[in-house]
Amino acid sequence: MKYKRIDWTIRTLTVICLLSVHFIYVLREPWFLLISYLFSAEIVRAIMERKYAEDPNNPY
């Protein structure tokens, strides 16, 4: 449940940032926001998977 809340918070903030940047910089493409979203979402997913795994020291 905690992971879903964190994940949706990241998604919501990314959409808000993308929309605000789009209106501020119409001619620029906000690739850095998309990359930061993907990076932060994957980091959170990896942390939560490791935290709630049956054997957190198992790399697979």
Side-chain angles (χ1 to χ4, degrees):
M1 194 68 172
K2 187 176 184 179
Y3 168 70
K4 286 184 181 181
R5 188 177 326 147
I6 293 171
D7 186 44
W8 277 104
T9 302
I10 291 172
R11 289 179 187 203
T12 304
L13 289 174
T14 302
V15 169
I16 290 170
C17 288
L18 282 172
L19 290 174
S20 63
V21 167
H22 175 70
F23 289 117
I24 293 172
Y25 301 109
V26 177
L27 298 175
R28 296 184 186 176
E29 296 182 32
W31 291 108
F32 63 95
L33 287 176
L34 293 174
I35 292 171
S36 65
Y37 162 71
L38 291 174
F39 183 75
S40 60
E42 290 301 313
I43 293 293
V44 168
R45 185 182 62 83
I47 290 171
M48 290 298 174
E49 283 182 0
R50 183 174 172 100
K51 184 176 181 181
Y52 294 109
E54 291 179 9
D55 184 12
N57 292 328
N58 188 2
Y60 300 104

